[in-house]
Amino acid sequence: MATTASGRTTVPAPRARQPRRTTSSLTTNPGGFWFVLPFVLVYAAFTVFPVLYGFGMSFFNVSLAGAPTSFVGLDNYAELLGDSQVWRTLGHTLLFTVISTVPLVVVSLAMALLVHTGVKGQWFWRFSFFAPYLLPVSTVVLIWNWLMQGDFGFINGVLGGLGLPTVGWLSDEGVALTSVVLITVWWTVGFNFLLYLSALQAIPESVYEAAALDGAGGWRRTVSMTLPLLKGTTGLVVVLQVLASLKIFDQAYILFGGSGGPGGAAAPILQHVYDTGFVNYRLGYASAISYVFFALIIVVSLGQFALSRRRGRTAA
Amino acid sequence: MTRTTLSRRTALRAAGAAALGVGAAGLTSCADPVTGSGSGGQLAYWNFFTGGDGERMVQLVDSYRDEAPQVQVTDTTLAWGAPYYTKLAMACAGGRAPDLATMHMSRLPPFAAHLLDPFDLDELAARGITADQFPERVWDKAQHDGQLYALPLDTHPMVLYVNTDLCDRAGLMGTDGQLAPITSAEQFLDAGRRLADVTGSTGISWAAADGLGGWMMFWSVFRQLGGRLELPQGGTAQVDRDAMVQAFSFIRDLTDGTICSPTLDGPAAPAVFASQQAGLFVLGPWELITAETAGIPFTMQQFPALFGDQPLIRADSHSFVLPRQASLDPARRSAAYDMAASMLRNSLSWAGGGHIPALSAVSDSPEFLALQPQANYAGAADVVEYDPDAYFSGSGSQLMSFGGQQILSVSTRAQTPEQATDTFLTWVDQQLAIPSPV
């Protein structure tokens, strides 16, 4: 339904009166197939095939060092059940996902709300908050590696100057993963911020005007109207963020030079997969680990899908 | 003057044609790698040298190009560590490996088993290269199953960088422009304390939080203490536990925050030395360029014997290897021998990066002996200690990385030396028990 300039509401005409379309729609038109074909080919060659091939590899003792390959059945899967490093690094990944998703959602929302209040120089804030997201991961991590140096890093310098105890950002087992979270938040919060900001800008002004007439103050409007109206966006941001955080690898790998951090406390499961397959030459076993992780991601995704569907139903 | 305007259509057409051309060239070079016949031909060479080493490697490749203008050499540089070794292994397994490749000798065993061809000693002799021209320990490490699988280019041992100004002020310099001899661990620690008084921060820069930097100190000290570590696949580690505990204890003594910071990582340790916040610095010789660029007064020396009477030093060597080919072209293989021999002969320029040339004709030459500070530590090549043999050992390996974690945990006092030893040996035994990929 649309409202015309004259204020009259135009009702879509019944189907029968529409001029009959002479060509079939995009979905039924066989021509559509040819448009999709290039993508399908690339997708099949570089996603579907490797996924299936890798799954097959997980049942063999494939070695990068060229040793003869033989079928080992479920041995790789049996081995990973008893591999403490698999469960430890999986724990790191899950912990990272939890402690990075919360700030990445909350901070980005706060930033979007602040910018949306109408501060001067909107473009400047938008640019500043989003700019780190445009940097390559290696640049981001190298900057933070120097900031977080234990002995002469900027952050510890400031802490020391304020008379506070310095922190072993990169050398303390209990802090290492938090350092990765800090870097990740600084680096990627801009993307969520942008999603929130565009959602905020899509809320029509008239809604707020009506609320203001009813006597709702700024705080009340934010809590009772803005946040509920952002529910859909929050769902989207959380889904995207959880999936992105589960894939944690590059920041942690570069920050600690591939060592996994102090006591291996910042080694995510993907690094264990990488080390097993590419450093230790055990491609078959590494595949098995990655497929167990893959299954976990699917479970998480389905769980989120179910949740959002239920939410959608209750909302409707 | 007429100006021709390039229409978008023409440009696209040209670009398309160029892309097709490149693609076609790529295809033909895959299908039929050797275009020339007889003396001409192509040669693919892979290495992992970037930065200062990278420039010197290009010089070496160019000098071979000058010697053999009929051979078209394609040199490819990849990031060192796992990215390089992964690609090399993949290329070997796929049967389309480069004709010649660079490799750390500490990473040789798993590659030599299935992916490389041994060198033919007669072919090498025909090019003037024989076993007696290499330091014995280096030559021995290049063997696998009684055959030569790697042709050593250099040795890069752990060395001691000396800030001559700071060490002078700490009263540590001898009369010959070198550090007064250090003959015990206590003396080394004391030198660190005295330097810390001079710098006002720490005395010695050493990267306890870096896998490579940490491991080379640990392995040198462990070997000087007489420690042995043997890693039989499928068995349990044969190790001198006491020596390992002692080595970890030394690490703890060293990293008391005055002698040495417990938390310097890979990029930080050279930076501390270059900014004169420490008087001594311990790492491989490749930071020579960093120190030169910083313009500080410095020299480099062989790392001393802190324990025992032999200054055993953890080292690794860059070498050339012959990846196994699906179908071997004798002309290309012969050119690979030529190129390796040429780069060895010309390795004086390679020594500019701090590495000790492996070929005695170069390392004994008056030119090299006049090279400062490289000549100071050239003797280290006779006392090098390579990492233990295992598929998960060597430069950039899991052994180094896991060992590095234990070293850091001792220096930050998260573990006692006994705990670190137990953690390390438990892990090593686990690695030996799991199926080997070799």
Side-chain angles (χ1 to χ4, degrees):
Chain A
M1 242 195 262
T3 310
T4 59
S6 62
R8 265 178 45 210
T9 304
T10 54
V11 180
R15 264 182 171 265
R17 286 174 59 190
Q18 270 184 336
R20 187 171 292 278
R21 295 174 64 159
T22 48
T23 56
S24 47
S25 80
L26 196 65
T27 44
T28 55
N29 186 345
F33 171 77
W34 296 105
F35 280 103
V36 178
L37 185 65
F39 169 77
V40 169
L41 285 180
V42 172
Y43 186 73
F46 294 104
T47 304
V48 178
F49 174 69
V51 164
L52 295 176
Y53 189 84
F55 188 57
M57 268 168 70
S58 69
F59 299 102
F60 291 83
N61 60 352
V62 185
S63 160
L64 188 59
T69 300
S70 57
F71 182 73
V72 294
L74 292 172
D75 281 7
N76 286 332
Y77 289 93
E79 183 182 341
L80 77 83
L81 289 177
D83 183 347
S84 59
Q85 194 61 14
V86 168
W87 303 109
R88 180 160 185 244
T89 52
L90 180 61
H92 295 156
T93 294
L94 295 179
L95 182 63
F96 174 85
T97 303
V98 172
I99 61 176
S100 68
T101 300
V102 173
L104 275 165
V105 173
V106 174
V107 172
S108 63
L109 175 61
M111 283 174 9
L113 286 172
L114 284 176
V115 170
H116 193 62
T117 51
V119 282
K120 276 217 169 82
Q122 273 233 13
W123 67 269
F124 175 76
W125 299 111
R126 273 204 308 264
F127 171 75
S128 306
F129 289 156
F130 191 66
Y133 187 73
L134 300 174
L135 295 175
V137 60
S138 44
T139 312
V140 171
V141 175
L142 286 180
I143 293 172
W144 280 88
N145 180 281
W146 288 110
L147 291 176
M148 288 177 161
Q149 282 295 324
D151 298 78
F152 51 82
F154 176 77
I155 301 177
N156 273 356
V158 170
L159 288 177
L162 294 173
L164 296 167
T166 57
V167 179
W169 299 104
L170 306 177
S171 56
D172 187 334
E173 248 180 77
V175 182
L177 200 62
T178 312
S179 302
V180 182
V181 170
L182 281 177
I183 295 173
T184 309
V185 169
W186 182 81
W187 180 34
T188 62
V189 76
F191 182 71
N192 295 348
F193 157 77
L194 219 59
L195 290 179
Y196 269 126
L197 191 64
S198 63
L200 281 172
Q201 285 166 348
I203 299 175
E205 200 52 43
S206 54
V207 179
Y208 290 111
E209 282 165 11
L213 285 177
D214 289 339
W219 182 247
R220 168 58 58 195
R221 285 202 297 264
T222 305
V223 173
S224 301
M225 302 174 55
T226 312
L227 293 186
L229 283 169
L230 287 178
K231 227 174 178 177
T233 308
T234 304
L236 175 72
V237 167
V238 170
V239 169
L240 291 178
Q241 192 52 58
V242 166
L243 290 178
S245 287
L246 282 172
K247 289 194 286 192
I248 166 74
F249 170 67
D250 25 12
Q251 305 97 293
Y253 187 81
I254 302 173
L255 184 63
F256 296 105
S259 73
I269 189 164
L270 286 183
Q271 185 172 336
H272 186 51
V273 170
Y274 177 88
D275 285 342
T276 304
F278 295 129
V279 182
N280 273 356
Y281 315 104
R282 302 186 65 209
L283 288 178
Y285 181 51
S287 305
I289 303 174
S290 61
Y291 278 88
V292 168
F293 184 54
F294 182 46
L296 183 95
I297 291 186
I298 290 182
V299 169
V300 170
S301 308
L302 288 178
Q304 281 184 329
F305 183 65
L307 268 179
S308 64
R309 262 209 356 196
R310 200 190 313 157
R311 244 201 325 257
R313 224 178 282 138
T314 47
Chain B
M1 205 172 113
T2 50
R3 263 181 61 181
T4 44
T5 47
L6 186 67
S7 79
R8 193 176 62 151
R9 187 164 296 188
T10 325
L12 283 175
R13 215 175 270 157
L20 277 177
V22 170
L27 285 176
T28 44
S29 69
C30 287
D32 176 27
V34 182
T35 49
S37 57
S39 57
Q42 295 189 348
L43 183 72
Y45 165 59
W46 283 14
N47 68 70
F48 47 72
F49 299 109
T50 53
D53 278 353
E55 280 172 40
R56 284 186 189 79
M57 181 44 74
V58 170
Q59 283 174 21
L60 282 187
V61 174
D62 283 346
S63 62
Y64 173 68
R65 285 192 174 115
D66 292 343
E67 286 175 23
Q70 75 283 6
V71 179
Q72 200 190 329
V73 181
T74 314
D75 57 323
T76 306
T77 305
L78 300 156
W80 100 272
Y84 177 80
Y85 289 115
T86 306
K87 291 186 182 78
L88 185 61
M90 291 275 193
C92 293
R96 287 225 302 271
D99 304 287
L100 190 67
T102 310
M103 178 168 283
H104 287 102
M105 293 215 311
S106 64
R107 296 295 291 267
L108 187 62
F111 275 82
H114 303 285
L115 302 174
L116 304 176
D117 284 337
F119 278 91
D120 182 337
L121 295 182
D122 295 336
E123 289 282 340
L124 285 176
R127 289 163 177 83
I129 289 173
T130 48
D132 57 327
Q133 297 170 312
F134 294 85
E136 201 182 331
R137 285 172 183 241
V138 178
W139 187 259
D140 286 349
K141 181 68 183 177
Q143 314 285 320
H144 183 84
D145 281 347
Q147 284 183 295
L148 182 76
Y149 273 89
L151 193 59
L153 170 67
D154 66 35
T155 312
H156 43 278
M158 177 173 90
V159 295
L160 193 59
Y161 294 74
V162 180
N163 184 314
T164 47
D165 180 38
L166 293 175
C167 286
D168 193 33
R169 282 199 269 156
L172 296 172
M173 294 303 284
T175 48
D176 53 352
Q178 301 289 310
L179 214 55
I182 289 177
T183 52
S184 71
E186 192 36 56
Q187 215 183 339
F188 186 67
L189 297 175
D190 187 54
R193 284 185 206 106
R194 282 157 69 175
L195 279 167
D197 285 342
V198 173
T199 62
S201 54
T202 53
I204 302 168
S205 174
W206 168 65
D210 178 55
L212 177 61
W215 175 259
M216 47 174 82
M217 174 72 91
F218 173 78
W219 187 247
S220 303
V221 170
F222 176 67
R223 290 293 298 124
Q224 290 188 3
L225 284 160
R228 291 208 153 270
L229 176 62
E230 275 160 35
L231 305 171
Q233 190 60 46
T236 54
Q238 304 299 306
V239 65
D240 297 319
R241 194 175 176 280
D242 291 347
M244 191 165 279
V245 173
Q246 260 182 289
F248 276 122
S249 302
F250 171 73
I251 301 277
R252 189 184 52 186
D253 295 344
L254 186 62
T255 50
D256 65 352
T258 304
I259 301 171
C260 220
S261 158
T263 55
L264 290 182
D265 68 5
V272 165
F273 183 71
S275 57
Q276 309 212 58
Q277 294 176 57
L280 294 173
F281 167 45
V282 185
L283 195 67
W286 52 84
E287 295 292 350
L288 168 64
I289 316 296
T290 311
E292 274 176 352
T293 313
I296 56 172
F298 82 102
T299 186
M300 287 157 72
Q301 290 181 215
Q302 188 170 331
F303 192 83
L306 302 184
F307 299 95
D309 43 12
Q310 253 200 314
L312 301 176
I313 303 161
R314 193 270 174 188
D316 203 344
S317 292
H318 297 126
S319 67
F320 299 114
V321 294
L322 299 171
R324 192 167 290 175
Q325 307 291 336
S327 61
L328 182 64
D329 179 326
R332 287 179 81 125
R333 181 50 61 88
S334 163
Y337 273 93
D338 287 345
M339 182 170 176
S342 155
M343 292 200 279
L344 248 57
R345 277 196 304 273
N346 291 314
S347 55
L348 183 65
S349 69
W350 185 245
H355 310 296
I356 306 170
L359 196 69
S360 60
V362 179
S363 60
D364 292 344
S365 68
E367 291 88 348
F368 177 75
L369 295 174
L371 205 60
Q372 281 291 332
Q374 287 89 330
N376 290 344
Y377 55 84
D382 298 320
V383 285
V384 293
E385 282 295 325
Y386 291 98
D387 292 347
D389 277 346
Y391 76 86
F392 53 88
S393 164
S395 292
S397 69
Q398 286 292 91
L399 184 78
M400 178 175 275
S401 147
F402 193 82
Q405 287 178 9
Q406 307 320 310
I407 292 162
L408 176 61
S409 74
V410 168
S411 71
T412 58
R413 276 65 180 159
Q415 283 192 109
T416 64
E418 289 79 11
Q419 287 168 334
T421 303
D422 289 340
T423 315
F424 183 66
L425 293 178
T426 307
W427 178 83
V428 165
D429 282 343
Q430 281 168 0
Q431 300 306 301
L432 292 172
I434 59 182
S436 163
V438 179

